[in-house]
Amino acid sequence: VATPFYMRTPKSHIGFMDLETYRPRDMGDYHEVYAVGWIPHCLEGEDLQPKNVRLYDSTDDPLTHNAALVHAMVDLIALIQSKPDTYTRKKPYYLYFYNGAGFDNLLLLQTMASHFHALPTSMAKKDGRLMTLSFLDGALVVRDLCLFTLASLDKVCKTYNVDAHLAKGKFDHNLITSLEDVNRYWDDVYKNGKLERMGIATYLAKDLTALNAVFNVFAQSCFDIF
């Protein structure tokens, strides 16, 4: 599918990621990644569906710290390194989070250093927040779309009229205190044919489709203005 005219960066160079974490019992404010969602390439139209989000969870690898994030980054790094002429310092792969500057980006930085021995090629920090990061000699650039929209993802979805099946869902994060809980609450629960409780998988996938959809509208708006 061709890249839309309003996107100067090819869709193949734009991806989206989101992390879900929990605080293990009796470990204070320590957070562990239990699930990750990744859209490798910017989606549009009929391709922008929750089913096209790659999901990772830590339950199959409980001994690895932040296992879901490690496995997701293995795949992302493999994608970049498999095409050294496509993804370069001048033509990087942009990975967008939402509100990641104060949290997700820190976990990503720690994981890249501890599991991949990869330190940032460059980093911009302001008021304790990681505004942008680059790795792999600049071939991977991490950004936070929230720094551009300056509102919660739920609010931006409503402002941009993102379709309900793509927009951010709801999940009680207090339910997750262990990897056993991840298995317990992974799937949706229906009662009498109606959704009674959204599961982690659907919630995470919709977070990613919401982020992708907001990015598309934001990119179009920037093109229209400038």
Side-chain angles (χ1 to χ4, degrees), residues 157-175:
C157 283
K158 293 175 181 176
T159 300
Y160 286 176
N161 296 316
V162 174
D163 289 344
H165 76 288
L166 303 176
K168 185 175 176 64
K170 296 183 182 298
F171 181 79
D172 183 359
H173 296 282
N174 293 321
L175 294 171

Side-chain angles (χ1 to χ4, degrees), residues 38 54 56 70-80 116:
W38 176 39
R54 294 191 188 183
Y56 303 78
V70 172
H71 296 317
M73 292 309 298
V74 165
D75 288 348
L76 189 154
I77 292 171
L79 169 66
I80 293 174
F116 301 98

Side-chain angles (χ1 to χ4, degrees), residues 24-67:
R25 299 183 185 94
D26 304 320
M27 295 190 68
D29 290 331
Y30 169 78
H31 285 257
E32 178 77 13
V33 178
Y34 70 81
V36 173
W38 176 39
I39 296 178
H41 303 302
C42 186
L43 300 174
E44 276 208 317
E46 295 182 358
D47 292 328
L48 182 52
Q49 300 289 339
K51 66 179 182 181
N52 290 329
V53 177
R54 294 191 188 183
L55 299 177
Y56 303 78
D57 70 85
S58 297
T59 59
D60 293 332
D61 191 4
L63 299 181
T64 298
H65 179 51
N66 292 332

Side-chain angles (χ1 to χ4, degrees), residues 86-192:
T86 299
Y87 302 112
T88 66
R89 181 189 293 268
K90 292 185 177 180
K91 299 180 295 182
Y93 179 95
Y94 293 98
L95 182 65
Y96 283 89
F97 287 83
Y98 203 88
N99 201 24
F103 190 72
D104 288 1
N105 289 1
L106 293 172
L107 291 171
L108 178 63
L109 178 62
Q110 294 167 1
T111 298
M112 290 295 286
S114 60
H115 290 275
F116 301 98
H117 307 291
L119 296 177
T121 308
S122 65
M123 177 171 57
K125 186 177 179 181
K126 182 180 180 181
D127 300 328
R129 296 167 65 83
L130 293 174
M131 314 294 279
T132 183
L133 294 164
S134 70
F135 297 95
L136 309 178
D137 294 324
L140 169 61
V141 176
V142 180
R143 289 178 171 175
D144 183 355
L145 187 61
C146 184
L147 298 177
F148 297 90
T149 61
L150 302 176
S152 70
L153 184 56
D154 181 58
K155 184 175 182 179
V156 175
C157 283
K158 293 175 181 176
T159 300
Y160 286 176
N161 296 316
V162 174
D163 289 344
H165 76 288
L166 303 176
K168 185 175 176 64
K170 296 183 182 298
F171 181 79
D172 183 359
H173 296 282
N174 293 321
L175 294 171
I176 309 300
T177 59
S178 68
L179 291 182
E180 289 76 15
D181 291 333
V182 176
N183 282 325
R184 184 176 299 115
Y185 297 108
W186 186 257
D187 296 318
D188 295 338
V189 174
Y190 287 86
K191 186 174 182 180
N192 298 324

